[in-house]
């Protein structure tokens, strides 16, 4: 069973997406993810294998971006 969580971020371009990709793709906790850079709130949608949204927050912050749960 996967858990879908949405976050507001400041990931606002393809370069930003490239910067967070290694962290998010490298996490065993994440099934898949995507960022809607066309949305004014730059929504990051993540499918987690377990209900642990803090994992995503830590990874995005370590990559240098702001993140908060919607």
């Amino acid at each position: 069973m996967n858990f879908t969580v949405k976050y507001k971020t400041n990931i606002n371009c393809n370069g930003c997406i490239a910067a967070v990709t290694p962290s998010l793709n490298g996490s065993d906790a994440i099934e898949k993810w995507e960022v809607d850079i066309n949305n004014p709130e730059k929504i990051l949608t993540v499918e987690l294998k377990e209900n642990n949204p803090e994992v995503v927050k830590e990874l995005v912050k370590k990559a240098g971006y702001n993140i908060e749960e919607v």
Side-chain angles (χ1 to χ4, degrees), residues 8-68:
K8 286 192 269 185
T9 71
N10 64 339
I11 299 169
N12 59 15
C13 66
N14 288 326
C16 299
I17 291 171
V20 298
T21 294
S23 298
L24 295 176
N25 284 355
S27 173
D28 291 337
I30 296 172
E31 186 68 38
K32 67 180 184 177
W33 62 275
E34 66 181 3
V35 180
D36 182 356
I37 57 175
N38 296 317
N39 184 307
E41 295 184 326
K42 312 303 179 204
I43 299 297
L44 167 64
T45 303
V46 181
E47 272 192 35
L48 293 163
K49 294 178 184 173
E50 296 176 10
N51 190 10
N52 186 2
E54 293 302 315
V55 166
V56 179
K57 288 182 185 178
E58 289 175 23
L59 292 170
V60 172
K61 285 179 183 175
K62 279 185 186 170
Y65 295 93
N66 299 330
I67 182 168
E68 67 180 82

